[in-house]
């Protein structure tokens, strides 16, 4: 990770929404996890529900981390992220087809 000191600082809601979108779209782990979740989505509202739930859950965890309320070392978090991707992918592969 690098720090760009010349980049303007986010100060408003729009800035934070833009940063959040950039964070999700540039994080391959985010995209892979969303892809595995969306594999089981049925219809437009299924996709909307999954993307919204993912975004809210991720926002809550980021908020807790930024506020220092939860501190989990990266050496634990990173493998757990990979494990959840594998878990959801296997769940999708092993799920029975809808009737």
């Amino acid at each position: 990770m690098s720090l760009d000191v010349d980049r303007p600082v986010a100060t408003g809601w729009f800035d934070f929404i833009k940063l959040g979108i950039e964070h999700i779209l540039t994080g391959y782990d985010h995209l892979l996890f969303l892809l595995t979740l969306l594999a089981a989505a049925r219809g437009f509202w299924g996709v909307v529900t999954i993307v919204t739930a993912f975004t809210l859950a991720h926002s809550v965890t980021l908020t807790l981390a930024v506020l220092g309320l939860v501190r989990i070392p990266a050496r634990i978090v990173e493998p757990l992220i990979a494990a959840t991707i594998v878990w959801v992918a296997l769940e999708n592969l092993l799920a029975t087809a809808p009737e």
Side-chain angles (χ1 to χ4, degrees), residues 4 6-11 13 15-16 20 23 26 34-35 44 49 56 62 68 76 80-82 86 94-95 99:
D4 183 2
D6 294 326
R7 185 175 183 170
V9 176
T11 57
W13 280 102
D15 293 329
F16 287 110
H23 173 76
T26 59
L34 267 174
L35 181 64
F44 174 77
T49 302
L56 288 174
L62 284 175
I76 294 173
L80 286 176
I81 291 170
V86 171
L94 300 175
E99 296 179 23

Side-chain angles (χ1 to χ4, degrees), residues 1-97:
M1 184 188 307
S2 64
L3 176 63
D4 183 2
V5 293
D6 294 326
R7 185 175 183 170
V9 176
T11 57
W13 280 102
F14 179 74
D15 293 329
F16 287 110
I17 290 170
K18 184 179 169 189
L19 282 172
I21 292 168
E22 181 182 315
H23 173 76
I24 289 174
L25 293 178
T26 59
Y28 296 112
D29 56 337
H30 298 82
L31 295 174
L32 190 55
F33 187 69
L34 267 174
L35 181 64
T36 58
L37 287 174
L38 291 172
R42 301 288 182 251
F44 174 77
W45 289 112
V47 170
V48 169
T49 302
I50 288 169
V51 170
T52 302
F54 172 83
T55 303
L56 288 174
H58 192 56
S59 297
V60 168
T61 58
L62 284 175
T63 301
L64 293 173
V66 166
L67 295 176
L69 299 173
V70 175
R71 292 187 189 272
I72 303 172
R75 63 181 164 67
I76 294 173
V77 172
E78 295 301 327
L80 286 176
I81 291 170
T84 59
I85 293 168
V86 171
W87 178 272
V88 173
L90 287 172
E91 205 173 48
N92 288 341
L93 288 173
L94 300 175
T96 58

